[in-house]
Amino acid sequence: MDSHRSDSLPDARAAGLSNDDLVLLAELAKGVTVDRVGRRLDISGRTVRRRLRGICDRIGVATAIEAVAWAARRRLI
């Protein structure tokens, strides 16, 4: 893991984000569709959407795009 990413991990931990949550956000940041993220993570698209809603709630944003931007600004993804 890059040193700039490990420095920001306390932000992720404080927000209650797991490594799996960060992987999900990183995949979305690449432009991968929700259904394809689900296939890559071996979960359903519906589960991806539910987990994404939980991520948004934990970090205090309204949309997936905002969640990706939040993580990117903190260099988590």
Side-chain angles (χ1 to χ4, degrees):
M1 186 175 289
D2 296 339
S3 63
H4 72 274
R5 290 180 81 180
S6 62
D7 292 344
S8 297
L9 284 179
D11 287 341
R13 300 295 175 249
L17 300 182
S18 68
N19 287 335
D20 287 343
D21 293 335
L22 296 177
V23 168
L24 189 152
L25 291 173
E27 290 296 309
L28 291 174
K30 293 177 197 174
V32 177
T33 66
V34 168
D35 290 329
R36 186 161 291 174
V37 170
R39 285 194 296 275
R40 288 184 181 181
L41 299 178
D42 200 29
I43 57 178
S44 73
R46 184 175 180 173
T47 299
V48 171
R49 287 178 189 88
R50 184 176 41 87
R51 285 182 50 193
L52 187 53
R53 179 75 258 144
I55 291 168
C56 289
D57 290 346
R58 284 193 301 271
I59 63 175
V61 299
T63 68
I65 293 169
E66 290 175 318
V68 168
W70 181 93
R73 278 193 305 272
R74 288 159 179 79
R75 297 183 181 201
L76 298 171
I77 58 173

